[in-house]
Amino acid sequence: MEHLLVRPLRKLQKSGLDALPHVILIDGLDMCQGEDRQTELLSAIHKHLLADDSPFRILITSRPELAIRTALEEGGVLHGVASQIHLNDEYDATDDMRRFLLTRFRSLSKRAGGPDWFTKNHVETLVQAGSGQFIYVATVSRYISEPRALPTERLKAVLDKSPPQGQTAPPFELLDKLYVDILSTAKTAYEAIYTNSTTGRGFLLLLKLHHFNHSSLQMANSRFTKYLFLEAKFTDILFSDLHSLVSMKESDSSKIYLRTFHRSFFDFLNEESRAKTFFVPLADVYSHLVKCCLRHILQSPKSDVPLEEVAHNLPRFLSSGYAKVDDDLIHFTREGGWEKIDSVAPQYKSNYSRLLKKLGPLTEGLKDATDVVQTMSGFFEKWKREYRDAMGMSAI
């Protein structure tokens, strides 16, 4: 920040900054992955952009996550230098929501057959249904605007789920219903191509796997689809009817990553009480990732993913405690899978020592396959020693 922003601005300041905007807007700070990164960014803002000679004002929008709250509290880096506006407590978003919907609906008039395709009562019903949550009307707008359907039909579908005028629903109840409707439509269209009986291609499982990659693994989409044994363009099919909720975004390095328009959708997927039949437990996610890793290793060297990479990642998924893969481990062991991992360099096997501590729970379902347990234990101990020797570490 010092080299790329502050120093160039100081040079410009000598020649006059009157022609430049004086406000820097940082929208959605809570979407910055990880509390450490959020804290680091806030500290950099305080150090470099809030100096006495800085001509700028900083406007940050965010959900009140821990890192942000800590920075604003007494003793925090922004305490005393930043003002807070709690939108949920003091700000009424209904006027903005109303203007937003009117503008978006008018822009759809040509597609919908004329300006009379909606009424102000329709808009008012949707505003009231949003219960002050702008994300609701934003999602409704994207859903109705999708080119694969008529705006009139989508509007009717949303209105049928809204409470009678004058009544309100609890926050997110209507948003959750909208998510359910969108997912139901997308799931039906997807299963017309791939049925749930197609191994490893269930709509809900793949959606949750991509969510997990977005939040935890952060692999580029091209790499992740190879991990899952999917075709390069498979993601286009999976998300073809979910464009009102997510999109694929190209990074600065020209890699494609999943992007959500609002974190509330992933919050919905993570909470069984909200997602209900659309909820996928983490056990299914980790189990599928482990099975994919085992399959890649057995297929090596003909696999699309390097053996070293898969061997390095496998312990992360196995040690989670969620994966249920007893039969797969038996098959993998008896087909020589651990021997293939044994062929890679010690640095790619450094994570297997953590499996030794969890060997009991990991092999609890393998009591009738003692040969498998002995093979796994033997290799894990060997790789632990090899890594220590390679790193010059003494035994503990």
Side-chain angles (χ1 to χ4, degrees):
M1 187 174 289
E2 177 72 24
H3 291 282
L4 295 178
L5 185 61
V6 177
R7 289 185 183 178
L9 285 175
R10 283 177 180 161
K11 291 181 180 179
L12 281 174
Q13 199 168 12
K14 296 177 181 178
S15 60
L17 284 172
D18 293 340
L20 294 178
H22 285 194
V23 176
I24 296 176
L25 172 61
I26 301 174
D27 185 29
L29 180 63
D30 55 294
M31 299 299 286
C32 180
Q33 294 292 331
E35 290 180 0
D36 290 343
R37 293 184 181 179
Q38 294 172 13
T39 300
E40 183 179 359
L41 179 56
L42 291 171
S43 298
I45 290 170
H46 176 259
K47 179 179 179 181
H48 299 293
L49 297 180
L50 297 181
D52 292 338
D53 60 346
S54 171
F56 292 101
R57 295 293 180 266
I58 315 298
L59 177 60
I60 300 173
T61 69
S62 175
R63 302 204 303 186
E65 303 292 31
L66 178 62
I68 291 111
R69 296 199 312 272
T70 302
L72 292 167
E73 291 171 353
E74 187 172 355
V77 294
L78 297 182
H79 181 70
V81 298
S83 300
Q84 303 177 55
I85 301 175
H86 299 281
L87 297 185
N88 286 344
D89 298 334
E90 303 172 7
Y91 179 67
D92 183 1
T94 54
D95 286 341
D96 286 343
M97 294 161 68
R98 189 178 294 110
R99 282 192 293 270
F100 172 79
L101 284 177
L102 283 169
T103 301
R104 293 304 298 269
F105 284 4
R106 285 167 182 159
S107 71
L108 294 172
S109 293
K110 185 176 181 180
R111 277 182 54 203
D116 297 330
W117 73 278
F118 72 96
T119 69
K120 288 187 177 181
N121 283 339
H122 292 156
V123 172
E124 199 60 34
T125 298
L126 295 175
V127 170
Q128 295 303 317
S131 301
Q133 300 289 340
F134 197 94
I135 178 59
Y136 176 75
V137 295
T139 305
V140 164
S141 172
R142 284 193 296 269
Y143 178 63
I144 292 174
S145 302
E146 283 189 355
R148 290 169 62 92
L150 290 173
T152 49
E153 293 179 355
R154 287 284 176 91
L155 175 60
K156 184 179 184 302
V158 174
L159 289 171
D160 287 345
K161 299 289 185 179
S162 300
Q165 193 151 357
Q167 298 182 24
T168 59
F172 294 112
E173 180 178 317
L174 270 296
L175 182 61
D176 288 355
K177 288 182 180 179
L178 182 59
Y179 287 156
V180 167
D181 283 348
I182 294 172
L183 286 171
S184 297
T185 300
K187 184 172 180 287
T188 299
Y190 172 86
E191 289 175 354
I193 304 173
Y194 298 102
T195 65
N196 275 331
S197 61
T198 306
T199 304
R201 294 185 180 233
F203 174 80
L204 296 177
L205 174 61
L206 287 174
L207 180 61
K208 189 61 178 280
L209 281 162
H210 277 82
H211 166 214
F212 181 79
N213 180 47
H214 168 80
S215 60
S216 299
L217 303 179
Q218 298 182 352
M219 291 186 195
N221 184 60
S222 58
R223 170 63 65 188
F224 193 56
T225 52
K226 287 181 179 179
Y227 250 83
L228 301 182
F229 290 92
L230 301 174
E231 299 82 10
K233 293 293 184 180
F234 186 86
T235 309
D236 295 339
I237 299 173
L238 180 67
F239 293 115
S240 61
D241 289 285
L242 294 175
H243 288 177
S244 59
L245 303 178
V246 296
S247 67
M248 303 306 295
K249 183 179 181 182
E250 186 173 348
S251 70
D252 294 338
S253 57
S254 298
K255 295 179 180 179
I256 306 296
Y257 293 88
L258 180 68
R259 172 179 176 266
T260 177
F261 290 112
H262 197 273
R263 211 172 83 180
S264 65
F265 176 56
F266 283 162
D267 290 343
F268 165 82
L269 291 178
N270 282 336
E271 295 179 26
E272 186 174 6
S273 61
R274 293 176 63 188
K276 297 182 172 61
T277 58
F278 291 93
F279 177 74
V280 176
L282 269 177
D284 293 357
V285 172
Y286 278 104
S287 296
H288 190 72
L289 289 171
V290 168
K291 291 176 182 179
C292 287
C293 285
L294 299 181
R295 184 179 167 190
H296 278 296
I297 293 167
L298 288 178
Q299 289 186 2
S300 177
K302 296 181 179 180
S303 169
D304 290 334
V305 183
L307 175 60
E308 291 83 359
E309 180 181 336
V310 185
H312 182 71
N313 285 332
L314 176 60
R316 175 179 182 179
F317 306 138
L318 270 177
S319 65
S320 67
Y322 291 105
K324 306 299 179 186
V325 288
D326 294 338
D327 291 341
D328 301 274
L329 285 174
I330 292 173
H331 174 75
F332 179 78
T333 302
R334 292 173 178 170
E335 290 294 317
W338 301 113
E339 284 79 2
K340 287 200 171 187
I341 297 177
D342 192 42
S343 68
V344 304
Q347 64 264 32
Y348 297 109
K349 297 177 286 191
S350 60
N351 291 330
Y352 285 86
S353 59
R354 74 174 70 170
L355 295 181
L356 278 171
K357 301 175 182 178
K358 300 183 177 182
L359 194 61
L362 181 62
T363 59
E364 188 174 352
L366 303 176
K367 294 177 180 178
D368 295 330
T370 54
D371 60 314
V372 173
V373 178
Q374 290 173 357
T375 300
M376 292 170 62
S377 176
F379 275 118
F380 295 170
E381 288 283 4
K382 178 187 178 185
W383 297 336
K384 182 180 179 179
R385 292 193 301 270
E386 285 181 356
Y387 180 69
R388 282 177 174 163
D389 292 342
M391 296 296 104
M393 298 165 59
S394 59
I396 298 176

